[in-house]
Amino acid sequence: MGSENGDTVNYATVVREVKAYLKKGVAGKELQSHIAAFPVSAQEKMNALLEGLFDGVEKAFGKEATKRKNHLAAAVAGDDEGSQLLLLNAVEEFCYKKGSNALNEVARLLTVIVLSLLIFFTVVSFYFD
């Protein structure tokens, strides 16, 4: 971690770092400890994780989510509601960035996340927000 050429750490830096750790094959819990050290908001950390995990994925989001489920599970471990809402918000942001062409694929991603990782109450709460 650290700053690049004296610049402060920003979202783009966090995304690059997440991608670098993933390329190294870092496990979910270890990746979370690295991400936790960044001086950005919790939402930006979760957004960066999702962007890093699914970088370059255009199809088969459900399959990719299943492969990366341990990293997603580590992201929501411990804090039941708070981190789960952050994950749902990150998926929403991810959808906006991917555009309408990826909506069917993102639905598969959500299916894996909702069925595997989230508490029903969190999903209902997110829906009504």
Side-chain angles (χ1 to χ4, degrees):
M1 193 177 86
S3 60
E4 296 181 349
N5 302 325
D7 294 334
T8 59
V9 174
N10 61 24
Y11 177 76
T13 303
V14 178
V15 172
R16 279 193 302 277
E17 291 291 327
V18 167
K19 289 177 186 179
Y21 286 123
L22 289 168
K23 280 186 179 183
K24 292 178 186 177
V26 172
K29 288 182 181 180
E30 185 180 348
L31 179 60
Q32 285 305 306
S33 68
H34 290 297
I35 292 173
F38 289 107
V40 296
S41 73
Q43 187 62 64
E44 288 176 309
K45 291 173 187 177
M46 191 66 78
N47 291 0
L49 173 66
L50 212 64
E51 193 170 327
L53 284 172
F54 296 100
D55 180 50
V57 176
E58 297 298 325
K59 295 192 181 247
F61 279 95
K63 184 178 179 181
E64 293 300 320
T66 301
K67 287 181 188 177
R68 294 162 168 83
K69 193 162 64 170
N70 289 338
H71 286 92
L72 294 168
V76 296
D79 178 12
D80 292 349
E81 282 184 49
S83 59
Q84 291 180 12
L85 286 172
L86 292 174
L87 179 58
L88 287 171
N89 288 328
V91 170
E92 182 178 31
E93 179 69 23
F94 188 73
C95 288
Y96 289 133
K97 288 182 179 181
K98 285 292 184 182
S100 61
N101 293 339
L103 286 181
N104 284 340
E105 293 298 326
V106 173
R108 291 183 179 103
L109 167 63
L110 270 174
T111 300
V112 171
I113 290 172
V114 169
L115 293 178
S116 303
L117 303 172
L118 302 183
I119 296 171
F120 179 73
F121 174 77
T122 304
V123 177
V124 171
S125 176
F126 174 78
Y127 176 79
F128 286 110
D129 283 345

